[in-house]
């Protein structure tokens, strides 16, 4: 897929890795829509990149559908969707206070996994209406997993479950959508320097990345963006979860 003159939706595109991907997509001549919370910088980011902003809370299933519909209407079509919405909490399966609250586990699953499937199914429907290119491609979906899908740390049971579910979902989704020329992939980053990690001290960050092969530091949003655009441009990238982690393997804690 060529970026130039193609249309993309960036869910969570007001900041961090998804914003960096939106910026890279715009630099290469693509058109875009930013979907993010009303309190985000989404409107300013969209204006800076010549795109449109659509308020979206991914935990509101119907509201997400309305935001995607509005974004596609503004763009005319959608060829690429990059989704980075998500988050977690630190809680063990069992503590002195009792078992992990079920509703909190469910919330993390909804935020990370169910919302990603909801976004993917909706944009896939829009992509299926595109005219295929010379290779038969109609679109590409990228969701954001985590290396916690493979080596979750103590206290990440809900988050790791959600992200490992995304890994399994991605391969089957690629098979489901292959006959339509729509690709599905996931990127699994390690610890990245984003708004979510802004409060981490240098000492703590160094401890978290000490087991990386190289470089021994947090990733930058542009490293995620480089990988995401490479996936979009390469028709052979499908059904996989690509680690972007400097050879990092999370220790138990």
């Amino acid at each position: 897929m060529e970026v130039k003159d193609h249309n993309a939706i960036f869910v969570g595109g007001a900041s961090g890795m998804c914003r960096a991907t939106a910026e890279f997509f715009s630099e290469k001549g693509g058109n875009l829509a930013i979907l993010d919370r009303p309190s985000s910088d989404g409107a300013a980011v969209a204006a800076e990149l010549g795109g449109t902003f659509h308020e979206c809370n991914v935990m509101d299933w119907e509201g997400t559908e309305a935001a995607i519909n509005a974004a596609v209407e503004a763009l005319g079509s959608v060829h690429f969707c990059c989704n980075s919405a998500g988050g977690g909490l630190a809680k063990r399966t069992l503590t002195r206070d009792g078992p992990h609250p079920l509703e909190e586990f469910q919330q993390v699953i909804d935020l990370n996994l169910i919302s990603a499937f909801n976004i993917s199914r909706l944009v896939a429907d829009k992509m299926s209406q595109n005219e295929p290119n010379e290779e038969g491609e109609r679109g590409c979906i990228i969701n954001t997993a985590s290396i916690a899908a493979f080596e979750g740390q103590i206290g990440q049971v809900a988050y790791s479950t959600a992200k490992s579910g995304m890994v399994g979902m991605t391969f089957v989704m690629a098979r489901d959508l292959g006959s339509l020329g729509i690709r599905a992939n996931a990127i699994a980053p390690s610890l990245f320097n984003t708004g979510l990690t802004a409060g981490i001290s240098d000492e703590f960050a160094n401890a978290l990345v000490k087991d990386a092969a190289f470089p021994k530091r947090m990733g930058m949003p542009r490293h995620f963006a480089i990988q995401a655009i490479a996936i979009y441009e390469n028709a052979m990238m499908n059904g996989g979860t690509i680690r972007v982690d400097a050879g990092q393997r999370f220790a138990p804690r």
Side-chain angles (χ1 to χ4, degrees), residues 18 29 156 244 248 252:
C18 200
Q156 285 189 318
V244 181
Q248 172 82 42

Side-chain angles (χ1 to χ4, degrees), residues 153-223:
Q153 295 182 299
I154 291 171
Q156 285 189 318
V157 63
Y159 185 70
S160 294
T161 299
K163 294 303 187 181
S164 60
M166 183 183 290
V167 172
M169 176 184 77
T170 297
F171 179 68
V172 181
M173 185 179 292
R175 284 182 157 177
D176 282 351
L177 301 175
S179 62
L180 298 170
I182 299 170
R183 294 182 287 120
N185 289 277
I187 296 175
S190 56
L191 191 67
F192 267 56
N193 189 358
T194 67
L196 292 175
T197 59
I200 296 178
S201 68
D202 289 343
E203 181 180 3
F204 186 44
N206 290 337
L208 289 173
V209 300
K210 65 182 177 58
D211 295 323
F214 177 84
K216 293 180 181 294
R217 58 174 171 79
M218 289 194 289
M220 301 301 292
R222 64 184 176 85
H223 298 131

Side-chain angles (χ1 to χ4, degrees), residues 1 6-7 72 77-82 116-117 119-133 135-143 169-186 231-240:
M1 300 281 274
H6 273 194
N7 303 321
V72 174
S77 63
V78 59
H79 305 94
F80 181 36
C81 178
C82 182
F117 179 72
I119 291 163
S120 298
R121 71 182 185 94
L122 295 170
V123 297
D125 181 51
K126 301 295 186 183
M127 290 173 178
S128 71
Q129 301 168 35
N130 294 336
E131 287 295 322
N133 66 8
E135 292 198 61
E137 293 182 276
R138 286 188 169 91
C140 177
I141 300 165
I142 296 177
N143 285 300
M169 176 184 77
T170 297
F171 179 68
V172 181
M173 185 179 292
R175 284 182 157 177
D176 282 351
L177 301 175
S179 62
L180 298 170
I182 299 170
R183 294 182 287 120
N185 289 277
I231 290 170
Y232 183 71
E233 294 180 328
N234 187 346
M236 292 300 288
M237 300 297 293
N238 196 17

Side-chain angles (χ1 to χ4, degrees), residues 88-103:
L89 53 81
K91 193 157 290 188
R92 299 188 186 206
T93 304
L94 181 65
T95 70
R96 292 192 182 102
D97 297 326
H100 194 304
L102 189 59
E103 63 275 12

